[in-house]
Amino acid sequence: MVREAIRWLLSSLVLLFTVTVLTFVLVALAPGDAAKAILNARSGGYTPQQYQEMRRLMGLDQPLAVQYWHWLDHLLHGSMGTDLFNGQPVTQALSSRIGPSLSIIIATLVVSGVVGVVLGIVSAARGGVLGRLVDLVSLGGLAVPNFWLALVLVELFAVKLAAFPATGYTTFGTDPAQWLRGLVLPVLTLSAGAVAFIAKQTRDAMADVLSQEFVIMLRARGLPTRSVVLKHALRNAAIPVVTLLGLLLVSLLGGTVVVEDVFAIPGLGQQAMTASASHDLPMIEGVAFIFTVVVVVTNLLVDISYRLLNPKVRAS
Amino acid sequence: MVRSLMTTRRQALIGAATALVLGLAACSSSAKPPTQSATGTGTGSGGRVGGTLTVVTDVSPQTLDPAKAVQNDAWFTELAYEPLIVRHADGTLVPGLASSWSYTGTGNSTFVLHLRSGVKFSDGSALTAQNVVDDLKYVVASKGQMAPFLAGDTFTATDPLTVTIKAAAPDPNFPQLLTQDYVVGGMISKAGLAAPTGLGTRTAGAGPYMLDAGQSVTGDHYTYVPNPDYYDATSVSWHKVVIKVVPDVQSVLSTLQTGQADVAQGDPQTQNAAKQAGLTVASSPLLWSGVVLADRDGKLAKPLADVRVRQALNYGTDRTSIADALFKGLGEPTDQMTVPNGYGYDAQLNSTYPYDVNKAKQLLGAAGYGSGFQLKIVTPDYQQLNILAQALKQQWQKIGVDLQITDDSDANKYAAAAFGGSFPAFMTSFGAIPVWMEGPSLFMPTAAFNPLHAADAALTKLYDQEAVSSGAAQAALDQQVEGYLVHQAWFVPVVTTGLPYYARKSVGGISTSATEPLLDLYEVQPAG
């Protein structure tokens, strides 16, 4: 167990290092840089001398390895550097954005997980029309573009019915009720496609398990259907669903960008887009670092779930 | 995703540019009346004071530092940084931190400011002449958007409340430059100047409000509270002002419709919907959009060296049809590089190039291009410039000109191509700014919008005369410069457009005009 924990820790560190190095290299390879972004924003045009001077002022004229080392050195001392445009510490800028992003992502996981699994189970257990209905809903959920759905929800539930705010994010500490109200439309938007995926995956996994011999034996022993489905079949069918939830969480890290844009939620996705457009390397590195940590932790949770759900994994 | 890309593009290149940005402030005569007052209940100051004013804009500021901020971000700085001179709503200049000012001697080279006494910054420190000198030096050193207009000048505190600026070259626009319109007019406190890295996310000004960092999230919302040391408490109209960034222009409108905000900087895409929603909509001409025929010496496209070819392109442009079809009532056709009643505007110039295909062909034939030619052009896709380019392509086909369009959705790449001098022509939107400022931006040999450095002795002579003139003589020279540019056809201006503002009926002071196309947040008050 201890050996596994050490192995996990080491592989996580390697992953973090690799991702941050790759991010540095990719940003450097991308056309343009922060100096150009600043000069363009300020004057629209610039001379080569002005550009070189700006690069020197921003430290962009140093070799990439030196720049990375500086960033890593700062990180080891608890700092991710500062925003190239306004001087704000990256850790400070990102810390205020983690809450909104995690709120949306976790709420989306919960909603889509619960609704998707329930739909999948009912569909698998009952089959027939309900099964086809799940397929139809899945197809619809996947086909509707997030952006369009968000605008429709805003028009209907915010502008027409005034039931939820159209934009903005309230922290839980400020007003829990308003926090919840503000999450409803963004989470509905993101859940539409996610529910479809999970329901279909659950239905297929459940259908597969329900056709296995041990389930037939359980039924033959006279166990009630509810017990067979929820206690025995679901446990076996849960592994691919848990895997899907893990993948969903990872995809939501980047997938929230559109929703954050439409609902004006100050999340990490929006920050990542802004930083990328302006080549703000410290900020991009900071976002990449946080995303990687979330991915690492998610993988760990998924692994732990496997162990809890499947005794064979525990034994191995 | 499309929306977010649009937004980030806009943020990435608010300035490609300058065009858009300069336009905002340049033509502006926005104002904060120094002794604004109204009746009603409030803080005891005697003025009507509302609760919270929530304002929405779709662009977040890169920085709050007035020396580095661009004009698009003026809303974020003007509340906290009182300018030396205030431009009033009617376009007149009134005292701000400076109680009086004037040029001394001849030639617009020495400018003297007398500061208001007893003024304090929000950190409690006093305004001094040395403070102003240090601020102006910081502006130059910061190399921000306005630094070129002060570069080379010397600043001296001639007594504790007097500042003298000696210009490196004649400069008739110090009074305009030091207003809120150009951001750098807002003074920073001594403590702020001593720690400039902090100015990106906090404020240190002498304006009516100050940023409450604890209630703000950079890039999302900025909360301003009254500055207790402001010298004119009666002009503080709100207990709190929140500027919220909503990146999606459609969501900006929704935020207003649901009552989550009171005022918004709108977008032409949603302007008609805002009217239908019953919101107050104010918009006045601000920008001209069209083509910069950059290669006037024919280095990349030989035909453009001939003035008859450039004029032919102007005659071959059906501006009215484009304005009607593309801008649907939100744009007006124009022949000149300014807006109605803007700097150098001459109504007679608007009949210089009536749509006349035969005349265009005749000119091309006389220039030796009767069988037409190819012309490469680069366009960004903001402000509908890419669609405008397509319309021009269709129209110019009729006179034999084959427009080869490079549509660059990456605004940074567009800027590199356009301002890097690799295209003989490029699409742009440009604000109408004072002609003296327009020179180094738009048409003088070193201007960013003159990337191939075309020079014209007659134009330079007119420009130099304008620099040392004032009053009516200056206005007449402005028109002469504009007329020269129009007749030499260095550009193909097509339409003028405005920047719309939306507001709910619960607030007042939402108005713009030809002399004040920008809405100044100082002006917004509780309705009634």
Side-chain angles (χ1 to χ4, degrees):
Chain A
M1 189 69 182
V2 174
R3 188 182 295 171
E4 276 193 42
I6 292 172
R7 190 188 301 161
W8 174 82
L9 195 63
L10 287 175
S11 64
S12 300
L13 287 173
V14 169
L15 182 66
L16 275 170
F17 177 75
T18 307
V19 168
T20 54
V21 168
L22 275 177
T23 304
F24 240 88
V25 172
L26 289 174
V27 171
L29 290 176
D33 60 21
K36 283 183 181 175
I38 287 178
L39 289 167
N40 278 330
R42 288 181 185 172
S43 61
Y46 49 83
T47 64
Q49 291 76 19
Q50 288 171 325
Y51 172 57
Q52 293 305 331
E53 172 68 4
M54 185 59 76
R55 277 177 61 82
R56 191 187 63 74
L57 286 172
M58 300 176 79
L60 299 176
D61 58 337
Q62 296 178 338
L64 201 60
V66 174
Q67 291 182 52
Y68 181 76
W69 171 250
H70 286 159
W71 180 82
L72 195 62
D73 186 42
H74 279 123
L75 184 68
L76 294 173
H77 289 86
S79 164
M80 290 185 180
T82 55
D83 184 307
L84 292 178
F85 295 86
N86 60 29
Q88 186 183 29
V90 170
T91 44
Q92 186 186 337
L94 295 182
S95 63
S96 64
R97 291 177 177 268
I98 291 174
S101 281
L102 286 185
S103 295
I104 294 174
I105 290 171
I106 291 171
T108 302
L109 278 178
V110 169
V111 170
S112 55
V114 170
V115 176
V117 167
V118 168
L119 277 177
I121 291 172
V122 173
S123 165
R126 297 278 179 85
V129 175
L130 203 58
R132 286 195 289 278
L133 191 64
V134 168
D135 278 345
L136 193 67
V137 170
S138 301
L139 203 62
L142 293 174
V144 173
N146 272 355
F147 180 72
W148 179 84
L149 181 61
L151 291 178
V152 169
L153 290 175
V154 166
E155 184 63 24
L156 188 62
F157 293 105
V159 178
K160 301 282 188 207
L161 301 176
F164 303 105
T167 57
Y169 175 82
T170 306
T171 60
F172 183 84
T174 305
D175 185 342
Q178 192 60 21
W179 170 78
L180 196 58
R181 287 184 70 229
L183 287 181
V184 171
L185 297 184
V187 168
L188 275 180
T189 303
L190 286 172
S191 295
V195 163
F197 264 124
I198 293 169
K200 195 151 179 23
Q201 184 67 49
T202 306
R203 187 171 73 93
D204 293 347
M206 283 295 287
D208 187 44
V209 172
L210 288 174
S211 67
Q212 289 182 19
E213 282 185 6
F214 81 94
V215 174
I216 297 169
M217 291 299 293
L218 289 171
R219 287 188 196 276
R221 283 168 55 191
L223 257 66
T225 301
R226 175 178 293 185
S227 176
V228 170
V229 170
L230 297 181
K231 195 173 175 186
H232 299 281
L234 181 58
R235 190 183 181 97
N236 283 276
I239 288 181
V241 177
V242 167
T243 306
L244 188 64
L245 284 172
L247 291 173
L248 178 62
L249 189 148
V250 173
S251 71
L252 283 174
L253 284 175
T256 55
V257 173
V258 173
V259 164
E260 288 175 7
D261 223 31
V262 174
F263 293 101
I265 294 171
L268 289 169
Q270 201 184 69
Q271 184 73 59
M273 286 295 290
T274 305
S276 299
S278 54
H279 301 273
D280 189 344
L281 192 50
M283 193 62 77
I284 296 170
E285 279 288 308
V287 175
F289 183 82
I290 290 176
F291 278 11
T292 311
V293 168
V294 173
V295 169
V296 165
V297 171
T298 302
N299 282 340
L300 177 66
L301 293 175
V302 169
D303 282 348
I304 291 172
S305 302
Y306 286 166
R307 288 167 181 279
L308 294 175
L309 291 167
N310 191 340
K312 286 181 186 172
V313 177
R314 254 198 320 267
S316 66
Chain B
M1 183 61 83
V2 173
R3 292 290 184 193
S4 64
L5 285 176
M6 286 177 66
T7 301
T8 49
R9 263 200 309 276
R10 209 173 300 159
Q11 289 167 335
L13 194 54
I14 287 163
T18 302
L20 297 176
V21 183
L22 282 179
L24 297 183
C27 196
S28 159
S29 54
S30 64
K32 181 193 70 61
T35 52
Q36 179 188 64
S37 63
T39 57
T41 58
T43 60
S45 64
R48 178 184 296 278
V49 179
T52 298
L53 172 70
T54 304
V55 181
V56 181
T57 178
D58 63 342
V59 179
S60 63
Q62 286 187 338
T63 175
L64 298 181
D65 183 343
K68 299 174 180 172
V70 295
Q71 288 173 306
N72 262 13
D73 302 336
W75 270 3
F76 296 91
T77 56
E78 68 182 18
L79 291 172
Y81 291 96
E82 181 81 350
L84 289 165
I85 300 169
V86 173
R87 187 190 283 276
H88 213 303
D90 61 6
T92 56
L93 303 179
V94 298
L97 295 181
S99 54
S100 64
W101 57 89
S102 64
Y103 282 96
T104 60
T106 57
N108 293 337
S109 291
T110 303
F111 187 68
V112 179
L113 291 148
H114 297 286
L115 303 181
R116 189 186 291 270
S117 62
V119 171
K120 285 186 176 179
F121 288 94
S122 59
D123 58 18
S125 63
L127 173 76
T128 64
Q130 188 57 47
N131 196 152
V132 173
V133 167
D134 292 342
D135 179 288
L136 295 174
K137 287 179 177 174
Y138 172 64
V139 168
V140 174
S142 296
K143 301 182 186 298
Q145 189 180 28
M146 298 303 153
F149 295 114
L150 292 169
D153 298 350
T154 57
F155 315 103
T156 310
T158 38
D159 72 40
L161 289 175
T162 304
V163 176
T164 300
I165 302 176
K166 287 192 181 298
D171 179 346
N173 285 119
F174 276 125
Q176 287 86 355
L177 182 64
L178 298 176
T179 63
Q180 72 277 17
D181 290 352
Y182 292 89
V183 188
V184 293
M187 292 292 108
I188 305 168
S189 74
K190 185 178 179 181
L193 291 168
T197 52
L199 293 173
T201 53
R202 63 178 172 79
T203 59
Y209 299 88
M210 56 187 186
L211 185 80
D212 183 340
Q215 294 188 64
S216 305
V217 172
T218 300
D220 180 64
H221 66 273
Y222 299 79
T223 302
Y224 296 81
V225 295
N227 168 11
D229 290 317
Y230 186 51
Y231 70 85
D232 181 18
T234 57
S235 68
V236 177
S237 299
W238 304 93
H239 285 303
K240 188 191 284 186
V241 179
V242 178
I243 306 180
K244 168 81 180 157
V245 179
V246 176
D248 181 73
V249 294
Q250 191 63 47
S251 298
V252 166
L253 180 58
S254 302
T255 305
L256 228 64
Q257 285 179 279
T258 56
Q260 288 181 264
D262 308 293
V263 179
Q265 182 174 306
D267 186 280
Q269 288 181 51
T270 56
Q271 191 168 338
N272 289 329
K275 283 179 185 167
Q276 288 168 5
L279 297 169
T280 301
V281 177
S283 177
S284 298
L286 183 66
L287 305 166
W288 64 268
S289 297
V291 182
V292 177
L293 298 174
D295 193 15
R296 294 134 204 162
D297 294 330
K299 295 172 183 171
L300 302 173
K302 194 178 172 190
L304 291 188
D306 193 315
V307 65
R308 291 168 295 185
V309 172
R310 302 195 300 266
Q311 289 171 340
L313 294 175
N314 274 278
Y315 278 115
T317 302
D318 186 354
R319 295 170 167 85
T320 304
S321 295
I322 290 176
D324 290 345
L326 295 187
F327 295 88
K328 296 179 173 58
L330 304 178
E332 292 295 324
T334 186
D335 285 20
Q336 49 194 313
M337 286 66 67
T338 184
V339 298
N341 300 316
Y343 298 96
Y345 181 78
D346 182 348
Q348 292 181 348
L349 287 174
N350 262 352
S351 56
T352 308
Y353 297 114
Y355 181 48
D356 189 337
V357 173
N358 291 331
K359 174 81 173 175
K361 285 181 174 175
Q362 193 181 43
L363 284 166
L364 286 174
Y369 297 100
S371 55
F373 64 93
Q374 280 191 347
L375 178 61
K376 291 182 179 176
I377 191 167
V378 63
T379 179
D381 64 359
Y382 52 71
Q383 292 285 318
Q384 301 195 77
L385 288 173
N386 52 339
I387 305 172
L388 180 54
Q390 291 294 341
L392 289 173
K393 181 181 175 71
Q394 298 296 321
Q395 293 185 354
W396 288 358
Q397 274 176 355
K398 294 176 185 169
I399 59 172
V401 176
D402 179 14
L403 201 58
Q404 303 284 311
I405 300 171
T406 298
D407 186 343
D408 224 327
S409 59
D410 180 335
N412 278 309
K413 284 177 67 181
Y414 155 77
F419 305 117
S422 53
F423 277 80
F426 57 90
M427 301 296 299
T428 196
S429 287
F430 198 97
I433 57 178
V435 170
W436 184 83
M437 289 183 170
E438 202 175 55
S441 303
L442 186 66
F443 60 78
M444 291 300 278
T446 56
F449 285 73
N450 184 6
L452 294 166
H453 312 300
D456 184 305
L459 180 63
T460 301
K461 186 178 176 186
L462 277 176
Y463 179 75
D464 289 344
Q465 289 173 350
E466 199 269 355
V468 296
S469 64
S470 60
Q474 187 182 28
L477 281 160
D478 284 350
Q479 287 190 330
Q480 287 183 47
V481 170
E482 187 68 31
Y484 189 85
L485 289 169
V486 169
H487 291 298
Q488 287 297 310
W490 281 22
F491 308 90
V492 184
V494 182
V495 292
T496 58
T497 53
L499 178 67
Y501 295 98
Y502 312 147
R504 293 177 66 81
K505 303 296 183 191
S506 54
V507 296
I510 310 298
S511 64
T512 60
S513 64
T515 53
E516 171 52 302
L518 292 183
L519 176 69
D520 200 318
L521 291 183
Y522 300 134
E523 300 286 335
V524 181
Q525 298 173 337

